[in-house]
Amino acid sequence: MKILVTGAAGFIGSRLMYELALRGDSVVGLDNINDYYDVRLKYGRLALCGFSSTDMPWGEMQTSATMALCRFVRMGIDDKEALDALFLNERFDAVVNMAAQAGVRHSISNPYDYLRSNLAGFLNVLEAARHSEVKHLVFASSSSVYGLNTKVPYSEEDRTDTPVSLYAATKKADELMAHSYASLFGIPCTGLRYFTVYGPWGRPDMSPMLFADAIMSGQPLKVFNNGDMIRDFTYIDDIVEGTVRALDNPPAADMKVPYRLFNIGCSTPVKLMDFIAELETALGKEAKKVFMPMQPGDVYQTNADTSRLEEVVGYRPRVTLHEGIGRFVDWYLSDKNPLK
């Protein structure tokens, strides 16, 4: 297949681009490499795919030095004209849209970043997919769409009309927009509600990196809601495998609306204090914890019911928290970590 991966310098997108090219797909990665967080991480991820940070001019297609089937272009999905031209020239069979402005708390103070990328940008992807007759569009949603829902584990059938952040609201809007395009134009669409993802090369604004930084530097570790939080931590390898399985199993063309939604997580929720304890053990150092109240936009618990994804594509996460934390810490302490 010929596949476009947007957000290809991101945590999940970079690994997805690598794995698809490795298995023999023709892959184009796209990312604007913005400075929402330290770009050294983004360039480091791209380097693993054979791209040099010294040779990434805006809008020019680059070929990987290590994988002939893998190319990359620095571009934003909010640039409709450039995106339309890319789709017209390349004629992709499938698209995996991982590009988005991330961050729950960032959305509180920078709302227009989410309008441009998560809403207008995603609409550009939908329009380009429509006009180039893409056979399958997979897009990243989020567990945050469950908002104030207190029923656990979260099922795809649960209500998602009580978001507690603008980020969550934009992800829910993406689901609705994709459904409308599947209904109106017959574009097979699959939405993936990602739960908390961790592992090597993870984002520095997410809890594993924040906690590890605080522990190793001896700085106070902020523990929100006084430590009474639960998260469905899912290792990056399991996330990428599940995404590829979903990509390879598009909704049937004869469905009334060729559209599906899946939770993608570990289904084994972990107490925040247990997660911190695993990090302390792996790092060999105790955290200086400062207990704080719940932050605006946060939720108490995330817990995925992944039975639908398991039934349809055979997804079953395999990496335990202990194993995953060990791999993360090995990378974090190594010279491969550009922020070390």
Side-chain angles (χ1 to χ4, degrees):
M1 279 196 298
K2 191 173 191 179
I3 304 168
L4 172 67
V5 177
T6 72
F11 181 27
I12 302 174
S14 59
R15 278 291 306 277
L16 185 63
M17 176 172 64
Y18 178 88
E19 294 296 335
L20 290 172
L22 192 64
R23 77 172 190 174
D25 290 310
S26 176
V27 184
V28 173
L30 177 157
D31 202 292
N32 64 1
I33 317 181
N34 67 28
D35 60 358
Y36 168 63
Y37 59 81
D38 198 319
V39 296
R40 288 178 295 172
L41 268 174
K42 299 182 179 185
Y43 285 127
R45 295 170 186 146
L46 290 172
L48 295 176
C49 297
F51 299 104
S52 170
S53 63
T54 60
D55 189 27
M56 287 188 181
W58 194 268
E60 292 187 18
M61 190 72 71
Q62 308 293 312
T63 299
S64 167
T66 56
M67 294 185 288
L69 293 173
C70 191
R71 293 175 293 153
F72 177 82
V73 59
R74 187 171 185 181
M75 181 188 298
I77 61 172
D78 57 344
D79 187 340
K80 184 179 186 305
E81 184 177 345
L83 193 68
D84 286 345
L86 178 68
F87 273 75
L88 180 64
N89 291 335
E90 297 292 340
R91 294 292 176 182
F92 300 109
D93 298 307
V95 175
V96 185
N97 185 64
M98 304 300 300
Q101 178 57 59
V104 168
R105 292 170 192 152
H106 184 74
S107 70
I108 296 172
S109 55
N110 299 273
Y112 286 97
D113 290 350
Y114 296 77
L115 172 65
R116 285 186 292 271
S117 181
N118 300 11
L119 297 178
F122 187 56
L123 178 60
N124 291 341
V125 172
L126 287 168
E127 276 288 283
R130 165 195 173 191
H131 291 295
S132 61
E133 300 180 346
V134 164
K135 299 178 180 65
H136 191 195
L137 170 62
V138 177
F139 66 95
S141 185
S142 168
S143 63
S144 66
V145 301
Y146 290 107
L148 294 175
N149 187 359
T150 57
K151 170 187 164 292
V152 290
Y154 296 151
S155 166
E156 292 90 347
E157 304 301 326
D158 292 341
R159 290 179 56 181
T160 53
D161 57 356
T162 55
V164 295
S165 70
L166 181 65
Y167 169 74
T170 62
K171 285 300 184 179
K172 178 59 181 178
D174 286 349
E175 294 180 358
L176 298 173
M177 291 162 65
H179 187 277
S180 70
Y181 270 66
S183 177
L184 287 169
F185 308 115
I187 304 171
C189 292
T190 299
L192 298 175
R193 290 174 174 170
Y194 290 102
F195 284 66
T196 309
V197 188
Y198 75 100
W201 296 97
R203 280 169 36 200
D205 62 324
M206 296 294 285
S207 55
M209 287 277 276
L210 290 172
F211 291 174
D213 285 346
I215 292 170
M216 293 307 294
S217 65
Q219 296 298 311
L221 192 163
K222 296 179 181 179
V223 183
F224 295 112
N225 205 38
N226 298 307
D228 185 18
M229 298 178 77
I230 297 172
R231 290 290 181 268
D232 202 326
F233 289 101
T234 313
Y235 191 69
I236 181 64
D237 289 12
D238 289 330
I239 286 290
V240 170
E241 180 186 347
T243 302
V244 171
R245 286 176 178 267
L247 173 66
D248 290 343
N249 289 273
D254 59 358
M255 291 174 62
K256 184 177 180 180
V257 179
Y259 176 89
R260 289 193 299 221
L261 272 176
F262 295 113
N263 288 335
I264 179 165
C266 190
S267 295
T268 308
V270 176
K271 293 180 180 179
L272 183 60
M273 296 304 295
D274 292 340
F275 184 84
I276 294 172
E278 282 281 0
L279 266 178
E280 289 174 318
T281 299
L283 290 167
K285 192 173 182 180
E286 187 174 351
K288 297 178 180 178
K289 306 175 189 69
V290 177
F291 293 95
M292 304 182 68
M294 183 78 86
Q295 296 294 287
D298 277 351
V299 296
Y300 162 66
Q301 178 171 243
T302 64
N303 181 359
D305 176 355
T306 59
S307 57
R308 178 187 290 184
L309 188 61
E310 181 178 339
E311 178 183 348
V312 175
V313 307
Y315 169 78
R316 187 171 296 174
R318 296 188 297 259
V319 180
T320 65
L321 181 69
H322 178 74
E323 183 180 3
I325 289 293
R327 294 181 190 177
F328 165 72
V329 167
D330 285 346
W331 168 83
Y332 178 84
L333 296 176
S334 75
D335 291 335
K336 294 178 182 178
N337 177 4
L339 307 186
K340 182 181 175 183

